[in-house]
Amino acid sequence: MPDLDRSELIENRINNGILGQWYPVAKSVEVRSISPLGIEVLGEKLVLWRGDNGKVHCIKDQCPHRGAPLSFGRLHEGHISCRYHGIVVSGEGVVVTVPAMKNCAFEGQKIVRAFEVQEIYDAIFIYMPSAENEKAPRMVLPKEFLSDSWSGFLCTAVWKTNYRYALDNLADPMHGSYLHAESFTLAYGTKEDLFKVDHTENGFIVSRTGQLGENFDWTEFEMHDGTMFCFLDIPYPKAAGPGGNMRIIGFVLPINENSCKVFFWRMREVSGIQRDCWRFLYRTELESKHWTVLEQDREILEAMSDDVRGNEKLYQHDVGVNRIRQTLLKQAKSNVDFELNIEGKS
Ligand code: FES
Ligand SMILES: [Fe+2]
């Protein structure tokens, strides 16, 4: 395989999303036991539903008969049936019945691709296998998800832009002082600074050198085998109630080349009555303010042209942007080289 082909494959892989990762794909409340939900993940059409025991299933959204989307179908006894001619498929991708034909040979065969699913902290995660990791590694969760002393809300939004812009945005704390300068909390501190990137145990942290704890001053990315997420703190004034900083835990799902879905958990370290207070204040006061900020991100990223990446002039404060891009490049190379290696051997 000539070098150019390999680099094109790597670029395509980065652009479509890295394989061998767990991704959040929907809020728990979106997946129901009365009707299926069609979704798109890394350009693949998938269908989700909740079985009779509450367990969530995810299979390819394509009927094995003539390819109709199964997400148009209905749910029967925990399985999904195709709207077109009625084939019933289980959550494991096995054809349960073919009602239009007696003793059809498909029955009992596993001919639809199924995906591993986990439901965690109000979200449905699925594993997108890579050639090197067909089986899902154990998902490493943000430590706040595992602690009773943190309480949070999940907010999701579809942004019509490639997911790389959403990750770049998270790796670029400087934009907070400009794009969000008129917001509830992001007007504090200086508007000029230098940035640094430090290695952490499982990734890296990009932070300002001139101030910490005054504004959106740092973002930390954690990379584990099969999981990647980031977190950052937004200092809150006293008016925002107990709990100190608001911590945002972010995952970005590549939907396809042109759109992504952000999953942001807004968390505070609170317990007892402080927890109730935070939850009440969030719903009544803070949530709308946060949405205003998020909309500012969405609007500017959606307005950036898709080919701008080749025409940038990066400068010092883009060290985090550079670092996240290197991370994706390394992961994409690993995906592609393993595939090429398999092809070469076959
Ligand atoms: S296309 Fe689904 S049963 Fe025919
Ligand atoms: Fe932002």
Side-chain angles (χ1 to χ4, degrees), residues 13 16-25 41-42 46 115-118 125-140 163 167 222-229 251-254 327-328 330-332 334-335:
R13 178 44 54 213
N16 285 287
I18 304 299
L19 294 170
Q21 294 282 313
W22 283 99
Y23 290 103
V25 295
V41 178
L42 277 64
L46 309 177
F115 294 81
E116 293 185 59
V117 180
Q118 284 201 54
F125 287 75
I126 67 160
Y127 180 68
M128 293 302 285
S130 60
E132 63 222 282
N133 278 321
E134 275 292 328
K135 259 206 88 46
R138 186 181 64 86
M139 185 166 35
V140 177
Y163 79 100
L167 285 178
E222 272 193 37
M223 273 77 69
H224 301 273
D225 189 17
T227 328
M228 182 172 99
F229 56 86
F251 287 74
V252 181
L253 165 72
T327 302
L328 294 179
K330 191 168 159 218
Q331 291 173 331
S334 166
N335 279 179

Side-chain angles (χ1 to χ4, degrees), residues 169 175 179-180 293 297:
N169 189 55
H175 83 266
L179 181 65
H180 307 309
V293 171
D297 288 311

